[in-house]
Amino acid sequence: MKAAPFAYHRPDSVDEAVDALAGGDAKVLAGGQSLVPVLAMRLGRPGTLVDITRVPGLDDLEVTGGVLRIGAAVRQRTVERSEAARAVPLIGRAMPFVGHRELRSRGTVCGSLAHADPAAELPAVAACLDATVVLRGPRGTREVPARELVVGAMTTAAGPDELITEVRFPAAAPGDGFGFAEIARRHGDFALAGVAVHVRRGGGATLAAFGVSDRPVVRDVTALLGTDPTEAGLRPSTDALADEIVDTAGDSHGSRGYRARLLGVLAARELVRAYREAHA
Amino acid sequence: MRVEADGTVDVTVTVNGRAVTLAVAPRTTLSDVLRDRLGLTGTHVGCEHGVCGMCTVLLDGEAVRACLLFAVQCDGASLTTVEGLGSADDQHPLQQAFSHHHALQCGFCTPGMLMSSYDLLAGGTYSRDTLAEDMSGVLCRCTGYRGILAAVADVAETHADGVPPPRAAVPPALVGRTSGASPASSLALNARKSASSDTSPAEAPGEIPPEITAPTGPPTATVEVRSELASGVDDVWAVLADFDRLAACLPGAEMTADLGDDRYRGRATVGLGPVSLRFDGLAHVVEHDPVARRMRVLAQGTDRGGSSTQAVIRLAADPAEGGGTVLWADADVHLSGRVAQFGRALAGDVSRRLFEQFAEAVDEAARTGEAPTTRTSPLRLALGALLARIRRLVQRRR
Ligand SMILES: Cc1cc2nc3c(=O)[nH]c(=O)nc-3n(C[C@@H](O)[C@H](O)[C@H](O)COP(=O)(O)OP(=O)(O)OC[C@H]3O[C@@H](n4cnc5c(N)ncnc54)[C@H](O)[C@@H]3O)c2cc1C
Ligand code: FES
Ligand code: FES
């Protein structure tokens, strides 16, 4: 379980990092909490790892103009503790489910988005809140909506020579309510099914499901809350929604039907929670 | 900064309060460095891909998986391993609580559990309600977790104002050593850039002799040996004052190079039953008082297998009534790495036997004016030490 040999490159600037990524045989090393297991199991053998964690400017974590900016080197645990990140409460709700404390002390928020595990929490949170991902590559800087970033299991719209430099989350507004829940076999495992929801007082509700398809699935669920915003009242419609969303064949940990049922229950429960919060 | 796949780079980390510099290849993990290069085998390795938590250590105060970090990423970092949390004599409250609550059976997960729970308590987010989830990052195959959670809860409640910091009771000698893969790499403390221990090439002319620093912290073993020698005090001192002859009197030791400035390179072999250690190292005569016939020597050595030793040795020769000499040999011996596992009792016994045989050899050398002829073989030393130890154990039983 040792990684195959690779060259190690620690750039001092974003430009140097982008240069180092050129050629196709290099990989970004952020927290390493997903990448290193892959290397250890020899499932990947990049020629070069580009360690971006000491690049000045990538450690920004701040709220400006109603936007929370999280740089590529910012660790999940730093976000968990940060005062600034409270501007986006959904991140705080989701974070305890991202692996374990000991992993979050190294793992980055942007690394989780870049890795794009279908069951990962943070890509779903980013999709739910319509966050924006900033990419930098040899052709310059571009912005990609988080909802378009993930294009398949562990596959993103970012090119191999592009670096995610930061992710921007809209700060919560008064009258916003949130819900987050997942079911995993053990705490810290990837979810069998999970939801992140955002409800706005005065109209508007978004749900992002994860662990049930090859990428986070976002739905406008405003209509669902219309008549009877209680768990019992919502279940028929969340069950139907779940049945439509779940797109996995199932495995030994949970069949397709089981995951659909989990999702229907969690969606109803969290929508009610978010609705109450929004109307408190 | 770039390191090629087949290259190495010097990385400096502070481990349990002690700075150490060593050359690593990019793909070498922190867990391997701690275990194989620094001999800190308290950090266990289970899965090597982030799942089990056995390798948990503190990096800049926060729990991390040492198997998911490459050592090269840790340059400049401060690390605490379970060896730094507390020692057998000075246990951290968490260690005491684990013992009290039977929070371990085989003990394989215990270092990870201790470092993870320390991180939880120090992080200030402890809550009884979420304790099970918060401790879920480390797996235990034996205990059923109840004792572990009880121990952590106990410490959290008795130290509600904050858990005491790690004792940093580090094994005093922390000596980076060469790995087979990178023979150009080496050394620790201030003894940077000495030659490879495998080949011990002659010192390049003009090269600055390596520094040896006195070890700090409590020694693994302290020995005081007082021997009555038949030879006269001046003859004895003549042996001590000549490092060549002095080294030849040490069982299993051999001087390989005089580096000038009272510094020497040498090697020493210690055999102990099935154990055979070959220490390559340095010695520095830091005090030499021909009038009082006293000297003080700092020595340090590393073995290829991950053991290291440092010693402060004081030698004194006083005239005895009737023309003989009383030879005093005191030493503070610091052991780390695998050899430290033998424990202080055995380390003390071996060191004592070593000095008793040293005294006999000095007597002979003083009498003949030559290097001793009846050089003690390492094997005899081993058997002698083991016999003495077994005898002592038997006596204790009675
Ligand atoms: C036992 C275990 C349990 C886990 N459980 C969960 C879980 O429940 N939920 C969860 O979401 N995650 C989980 N993870 C993974 C999580 O801990 C990782 O932190 C996260 O997925 C990746 O972040 P990272 O910073 O460690 O990225 P790395 O491992 O460094 O990188 C991951 C991938 O993304 C690329 N990358 C990283 N940063 C960038 C960037 N800025 N630009 C472009 N590409 C980039 C890398 O090249 C690599 O391909 C778990 C991991 C382990 C080992
Ligand atoms: S050995 Fe590091 S987590 Fe298992
Ligand atoms: S005590 Fe044996 S694994 Fe925990």
Side-chain angles (χ1 to χ4, degrees), chain B residues 229 231 236 239 245 249 358-375:
Chain B
L229 309 187
S231 310
V236 168
V239 175
R245 289 166 78 201
C249 294
F358 168 72
E360 289 167 23
V362 168
D363 204 4
E364 187 197 323
R367 208 168 45 240
T368 60
E370 319 233 322
T373 49
T374 54
R375 289 210 41 174

Side-chain angles (χ1 to χ4, degrees), chain B residues 237 239-243 246 285-290 292-297 313-317 328 330:
Chain B
W237 179 250
V239 175
L240 300 187
D242 174 357
F243 202 83
L246 175 97
V285 180
V286 285
E287 269 174 47
H288 188 266
D289 181 346
R293 299 189 202 88
R294 269 155 179 67
M295 64 193 293
R296 197 158 68 90
V297 182
I313 303 163
R314 289 167 297 271
L315 300 173
W328 306 86
D330 298 353

Side-chain angles (χ1 to χ4, degrees), chain A residues 1-3 5-10 29 33 36-37 40 42 48 54 77 81 100-102 105-106 187, chain B residues 1-3 5 26-27 32 48-49 59 62-64 68-70 72-73 75 116 119-120 133-134 136-137:
Chain A
M1 301 295 286
K2 314 281 183 198
F6 56 81
Y8 175 82
H9 192 122
R10 188 159 65 214
L29 173 63
Q33 306 299 290
V36 180
R42 303 248 172 148
T48 302
R54 299 196 196 190
R77 222 171 150 191
R81 294 205 183 112
H100 303 281
R101 219 171 356 107
E102 302 90 332
S105 54
R106 294 298 301 184
H187 183 87
Chain B
M1 189 270 263
R2 188 182 165 92
V3 191
R27 69 175 182 138
D32 282 350
E48 287 194 306
H49 64 280
L59 180 128
E62 269 186 357
V64 297
L68 293 187
L69 273 167
F70 298 113
V72 59
Q73 293 174 274
D75 192 26
S116 173
D119 173 72
L120 174 67
E133 286 81 7
D134 289 338
S136 63

Side-chain angles (χ1 to χ4, degrees), chain B residues 31 44-56 65-68 137:
Chain B
S31 45
H44 290 172
V45 167
C47 67
E48 287 194 306
H49 64 280
V51 174
C52 70
M54 300 303 108
C55 62
T56 307
R65 303 277 209 239
C67 72
L68 293 187

